[in-house]
Amino acid sequence: MTNVTLARSYFEKAQVRLVVLDVLMTNKAYSDVVREAQEVVELALKAMLRYVGIEPPKVHDVGRYLVENQSRFPRNVRKYLRRLAEISTWLRKEREFSFYGDVDFIPTDEYKKPDGTRATRDAKLAVSVCKKLLGKGSRDL
């Protein structure tokens, strides 16, 4: 298996999860939207790193690795890297709270429609930029 093959696999997984976000939004499951969006973004960004030959670290927020290695990306993708890093950081911070909550933080009460909308928009951007990078051969689902 090559980095490119694995990158495309990650991208396909991100695309499938992206579809799920609309179902969760329809059901007003905003905390679940945030959690799933984090996974979409993580997969898309790791696909991007693999595609340019970088082994992504086994952490949930890989945004800074995009920025640190921006010279490896084509110009049409490079302009999005800082924004993707910001998105990755935000969603990483929300990852556990959106899923598990805490005694004083009930995810189903705390996350609202604007949170779900933001997470969905950000996940769609990550998948869109990843698709620009992977180009032809990226499977449309």
Side-chain angles (χ1 to χ4, degrees):
M1 178 179 332
T2 67
N3 262 342
V4 172
T5 304
L6 193 51
R8 291 194 193 290
S9 175
Y10 287 4
F11 177 67
E12 287 182 19
K13 292 165 80 61
Q15 285 183 299
V16 169
R17 283 172 172 78
L18 191 61
V19 173
V20 172
L21 297 184
D22 291 333
V23 173
L24 294 170
M25 282 295 290
T26 299
N27 286 283
K28 300 180 180 173
Y30 305 122
S31 63
D32 293 326
V33 172
V34 171
R35 173 59 185 251
E36 291 300 320
Q38 186 280 324
E39 291 191 16
V40 169
V41 170
E42 182 178 341
L43 284 164
L45 272 51
K46 286 182 176 182
M48 293 172 64
L49 288 168
R50 282 199 176 280
Y51 191 80
V52 299
I54 298 167
E55 175 73 25
K58 300 207 181 334
V59 296
H60 298 296
D61 178 6
V62 296
R64 72 181 179 108
Y65 299 99
L66 295 175
V67 175
E68 288 173 2
N69 295 284
Q70 62 185 319
S71 64
R72 292 185 180 222
F73 292 90
R75 198 167 282 134
N76 70 324
V77 170
R78 202 176 302 159
K79 64 185 178 182
Y80 297 100
L81 298 181
R82 288 200 186 283
R83 178 67 188 123
L84 292 176
E86 292 168 1
I87 290 168
S88 180
T89 298
W90 172 64
L91 286 171
R92 167 59 188 94
K93 288 178 184 174
E94 299 299 322
R95 188 178 197 296
E96 281 80 24
F97 272 136
S98 65
F99 195 63
Y100 300 112
D102 209 337
V103 292
D104 61 345
F105 190 93
I106 309 304
T108 52
D109 293 342
E110 296 293 333
Y111 289 94
K112 305 295 184 206
K113 186 174 183 178
D115 302 308
T117 300
R118 175 184 176 189
T120 300
R121 181 190 65 231
D122 289 349
K124 287 179 178 179
L125 176 64
V127 169
S128 170
V129 175
C130 186
K131 186 173 184 173
K132 284 180 191 294
L133 178 64
L134 274 59
K136 289 186 180 183
S138 298
R139 191 176 87 169
D140 287 320
L141 299 179

